[in-house]
Amino acid sequence: CKISREQLEVLVKSFEEEPLPNFDQRQAMAKHLGMTPRSVQIWFQNRRQRLKPTPKPQARKAVDGMR
């Protein structure tokens, strides 16, 4: 169930406006895009996870400095 380019464009634009869409927003988006509400929900979850900033491993430097 690969997402088409057109679907992706709409999803990305929607994400920029609202990264946490509510139930009704997901339902409407799924209907508009011809996707299941669950697939829209999963896409948003994955997108939020992918864009989450990763913490820099600073604890490692402190341990290395003690040697």
Side-chain angles (χ1 to χ4, degrees):
C1 299
K2 197 159 165 80
I3 295 174
S4 73
R5 184 168 301 193
E6 292 79 15
Q7 289 170 320
L8 183 61
E9 287 174 8
V10 173
L11 287 166
V12 169
K13 189 170 184 175
S14 299
F15 184 87
E16 289 169 358
E17 294 172 13
E18 179 55 69
L20 274 169
N22 64 32
F23 177 81
D24 293 330
Q25 290 169 321
R26 286 195 311 267
Q27 292 286 101
M29 210 178 309
K31 189 172 186 178
H32 174 74
L33 295 172
M35 297 169 65
T36 64
R38 179 72 176 148
S39 62
V40 171
Q41 182 181 26
I42 296 296
W43 186 90
F44 273 84
Q45 285 177 352
N46 290 341
R47 182 78 171 189
R48 286 192 301 270
Q49 190 65 35
R50 191 159 37 114
L51 296 180
K52 188 187 289 188
T54 55
K56 294 177 182 164
Q58 294 176 343
R60 188 90 188 135
K61 291 180 182 175
V63 171
D64 289 342
M66 295 174 130
R67 289 180 188 165

